[in-house]
Amino acid sequence: MKKLFLLLVGGITAIVALCLVGPLLGFAFSALLVFLGMHYYVKATSTMMKVVWVAIGLVGIFSAISNVPAIIGLAALVVLYIIYKKWNNEEVSLKQIKEDSSDPFTNFEKEWAKLTK
C-alpha cells in the first residue's frame, strides 16, 4: 500500500514537473542573466558599462518574477527526489546534507571546537 501511494504521488509530481519545464527553463535563463549582470558589474571599470550590466541584471530579475510558476516546478522536483529516496528505502535528512557540506565556515567552527577542547 505504501508503494502504491508513493507511485501515485510520484506520478502526479512528475506530471507537474514536466508541465512546468518551460517556466523552469525561463527561470534558469533569468538566473543566468542576474548572475552575468552581477559578475560583470563587479569587473566593469567604466560607469557606462556598470549601467549596462545593472540593466541586464534588472531584466533578469523582472524575468524571474514573471516565472513564478517555476517555484511550483522546483517544489515538485524536490518532492519527486524525496519520493525517489523513500522508494529506495534511503533516509532523507537535511542534517546529513549539512554535515557533508564543504562550507569553509562550518569546517572552521568544527576545527575551532576541537582546538579549544
Side-chain angles (χ1 to χ4, degrees):
M1 189 68 173
K2 184 178 177 182
K3 294 282 187 176
L4 179 65
F5 176 71
L6 289 175
L7 186 65
L8 182 67
V9 173
I12 291 170
T13 56
I15 290 170
V16 169
L18 285 175
C19 289
L20 294 173
V21 167
L24 280 171
L25 291 176
F27 192 74
F29 182 71
S30 301
L32 178 69
L33 284 178
V34 171
F35 173 74
L36 289 176
M38 288 174 39
H39 179 74
Y40 287 113
Y41 171 79
V42 172
K43 288 188 173 190
T45 56
S46 69
T47 305
M48 183 62 188
M49 286 309 297
K50 286 190 181 227
V51 170
V52 168
W53 288 115
V54 166
I56 289 173
L58 287 174
V59 167
I61 288 172
F62 291 133
S63 177
I65 291 170
S66 70
N67 285 314
V68 172
I71 296 171
I72 298 169
L74 286 173
L77 289 174
V78 168
V79 170
L80 197 60
Y81 174 74
I82 291 171
I83 289 172
Y84 174 76
K85 288 289 196 176
K86 292 286 185 181
W87 184 273
N88 292 330
N89 295 325
E90 297 176 17
E91 187 174 327
V92 180
S93 69
L94 292 177
K95 183 179 178 184
Q96 181 183 17
I97 295 171
K98 287 181 183 178
E99 287 177 359
D100 294 340
S101 71
S102 60
D103 185 21
F105 296 110
T106 57
N107 289 337
F108 174 76
E109 290 171 3
K110 288 177 187 176
E111 293 298 321
W112 185 257
K114 287 179 187 176
L115 287 174
T116 56
K117 287 185 179 179

